[in-house]
Amino acid sequence: MSASILGYSTPTLLAWEEDYDTPRGVFGDSYLAKIIRTQEYMETMGNERDNDLLLVVDAYDVWFQLRKETLVARYNKIIKESNERLKQELGEAWNFEGLRNRVVFGAGKRCSPNDPHSIGCYAVPEPPFLDDLYGNSTDMGIRSNKFGTTRPRFLNAGFIMGSVKGLRKLFSDAREEAEKLMIFEDQVPEDDSIHIHGATYHSDQSVWNVLFGQQEYMREVMRLKYKPETDGIGRKIPREGPRGSGRIDGKKVDNIFDPPFEHPNVGNLGADGLLAREYGVALDYASDIVHNTDSAQTDAMWLDYGQPMEEQFNDTRRENHDCAQRVPEEFPQDILDAGPPNQYPPIEWSIQSYYTDICLASVPVMVHHDGDKTARERDWSRMWFYENGKRLFNFAGGGATAGHARSFEAHKAFPRPAGMVNEVGGAWLNNGRFLRWSEVCPKSWEEEIFPSKKPARRSIFKDSYRERG
């Protein structure tokens, strides 16, 4: 619903109402279905769609608070900046192997549910910012929540975005790995090899962690392979060892090829060539697109940008946060540039209430409630459109299927057929059926989403529109 209000395209729901009470050997479970059904969906998309951007998010715990124009701008920014870092880090491997990031995942504080001593955890690099983000406690794991002062550096699959071309190989390999897990547990080989480097039976997140860890491991192999032995005038360059990767369970990993703890054998990752595990994956370290709340609730708070910040950062709140509070020095221009969706009244974007990462000074496009699930009920009233949700929803189309009926093929077609419009609030299923808003959100839920009794707040609209009512 939040995406509909903000003018996002009509989504496709994957694995809707499918039954996962079957044994793993038959299909796996709903988490692995996220990989399999998405990969199947992409198989229906022709090569002419390769340059389209595909957005994959969890269904029940992601809220959108910013427009799609801001999302795309930040995706492009992350890709550009991550490729600049990659070029600097990999040196000649960047040129010879053509390595480029083109897919973005969220970043989280926990390498869950994988074995922390496996490649999906210890091989991933440190984030490119602030090694003292939480003061002396940064990455030390010494607080009551040992992940609370860990910088976000592990992959989180609640948000995935990239070109269709960039995602094809990634999801194909993820499906292959997921299907290894979808056997009966009593058929696990004695050598435990089916655990694929610390992955677990029930989790897509576990599979993604493994693939990202393998990518980063192989990137380091390639970096060292192409490291020049002499400088430009023939002088020998001292041999450089493998990079480290920060702390795992409080232990510093100085060499990802030889971590200071027992770990599963990584196997022969280069058997199919060094690029076999290259996926072009970068992470949204700075929460520009998504803030994942798991172990990070104290990194963020709801801020009213129409009120003085110092009044909102009082001493009581400060005690609840492990970092020095930061907010954007200026209101993000990419939010102002997006403007309201078509047909909307003018909205005063710079004075709304936004969920804000106060450690990294970012206003994310979306919030992924993968931590405290009760926040989905508790904090809904903090969304900037809460008091005017029904009104804005009606502006967007009100759940009606405006225009002429369209097929699932037309929904997926590129370019869009003339006259095609979004069915606001509804969703397509991957079997071609269309769900209207009343099916996605039964009337019994409407009072909770669009409450008739609302707290009194200032108008979200600009003065020129407010005066007209």
Side-chain angles (χ1 to χ4, degrees), residues 165-419:
K165 182 178 181 179
L167 290 170
R168 289 191 195 277
K169 172 179 167 55
L170 177 61
F171 270 87
S172 177
D173 282 12
R175 177 170 185 167
E176 180 180 329
E177 297 296 334
E179 288 175 342
K180 291 179 183 179
L181 301 178
M182 288 161 37
I183 66 168
F184 294 107
E185 290 189 28
D186 60 5
Q187 294 178 356
V188 176
E190 290 183 3
D191 65 0
D192 209 28
S193 59
I194 200 64
H195 278 287
I196 57 170
H197 312 302
T200 61
Y201 288 102
H202 64 283
S203 173
D204 69 303
Q205 175 69 51
S206 183
V207 172
W208 294 123
N209 283 340
V210 170
L211 295 188
F212 183 56
Q214 290 177 340
Q215 170 188 281
E216 296 306 306
Y217 188 100
M218 293 310 299
R219 282 181 172 182
E220 182 61 7
V221 171
M222 285 187 276
R223 183 184 75 85
L224 296 176
K225 175 185 176 181
Y226 289 100
K227 192 73 176 176
E229 296 183 356
T230 59
D231 62 17
I233 57 175
R235 292 178 300 187
K236 191 170 184 178
I237 299 175
R239 184 173 179 83
E240 181 181 350
R243 66 164 174 81
S245 67
R247 294 183 180 274
I248 296 291
D249 283 348
K251 294 182 178 179
K252 187 77 167 65
V253 178
D254 294 318
N255 179 346
I256 65 169
F257 297 162
D258 185 24
F261 38 69
E262 291 186 8
H263 56 282
N265 183 8
V266 300
N268 187 6
L269 297 181
D272 299 322
L274 289 177
L275 292 178
R277 295 298 178 180
E278 173 56 41
Y279 301 109
V281 170
L283 302 189
D284 175 23
Y285 292 111
S287 296
D288 285 325
I289 294 178
V290 60
H291 184 271
N292 299 293
T293 65
D294 185 15
S295 300
Q297 290 94 330
T298 60
D299 285 15
M301 60 186 294
W302 293 91
L303 292 176
D304 186 337
Y305 283 77
Q307 300 296 327
M309 288 297 165
E310 58 270 18
E311 295 180 7
Q312 300 178 66
F313 285 130
N314 56 50
D315 292 338
T316 301
R317 288 188 185 276
R318 188 169 292 116
E319 293 175 358
N320 294 331
H321 300 283
D322 295 309
C323 63
Q325 293 91 339
R326 301 176 177 88
V327 295
E329 293 182 3
E330 297 181 357
F331 190 79
Q333 186 62 42
D334 59 4
I335 299 178
L336 299 175
D337 290 343
N342 292 336
Q343 311 303 319
Y344 271 39
I347 294 172
E348 198 74 78
W349 293 105
S350 62
I351 63 169
Q352 307 303 331
S353 168
Y354 296 108
Y355 186 87
T356 304
D357 186 322
I358 60 170
C359 294
L360 300 173
S362 67
V363 181
V365 175
M366 60 190 80
V367 185
H368 178 208
H369 292 288
D370 60 334
D372 179 10
K373 297 295 186 182
T374 64
R376 292 179 296 179
E377 290 76 34
R378 183 185 66 242
D379 291 348
W380 180 243
S381 63
R382 302 301 302 272
M383 294 292 279
W384 66 265
F385 52 72
Y386 176 73
E387 297 90 340
N388 297 274
K390 185 68 171 179
R391 187 179 185 188
L392 293 174
F393 189 66
N394 289 334
F395 270 117
T401 51
H404 61 276
R406 64 188 246 200
S407 66
F408 188 49
E409 287 68 31
H411 163 65
K412 295 189 295 180
F414 182 83
R416 290 164 62 89

Side-chain angles (χ1 to χ4, degrees), residues 73-186:
R74 294 188 182 180
Y75 163 82
N76 289 330
K77 173 176 175 285
I78 291 169
I79 292 296
K80 179 177 182 293
E81 292 178 352
S82 68
N83 278 326
E84 290 171 351
R85 291 195 304 271
L86 194 63
K87 181 178 181 180
Q88 183 177 8
E89 293 164 0
L90 295 185
E92 292 302 314
W94 161 271
N95 296 317
F96 284 105
E97 297 289 358
L99 301 178
R100 302 293 186 274
N101 288 328
R102 54 192 177 274
V103 175
V104 178
F105 280 73
K109 298 188 174 196
R110 299 176 60 198
C111 187
S112 175
N114 299 60
D115 175 356
H117 296 163
S118 64
I119 193 171
C121 302
Y122 70 75
V124 305
E126 295 185 86
F129 52 74
L130 296 175
D131 57 9
D132 63 346
L133 184 63
Y134 304 102
N136 294 333
S137 299
T138 303
D139 297 341
M140 296 299 291
I142 58 177
R143 298 293 180 91
S144 56
N145 178 351
K146 68 178 184 178
F147 303 107
T149 56
T150 298
R151 291 173 296 166
R153 67 184 180 103
F154 301 108
L155 180 147
N156 186 299
F159 158 83
I160 309 170
M161 185 172 177
S163 68
V164 172
K165 182 178 181 179
L167 290 170
R168 289 191 195 277
K169 172 179 167 55
L170 177 61
F171 270 87
S172 177
D173 282 12
R175 177 170 185 167
E176 180 180 329
E177 297 296 334
E179 288 175 342
K180 291 179 183 179
L181 301 178
M182 288 161 37
I183 66 168
F184 294 107
E185 290 189 28
D186 60 5

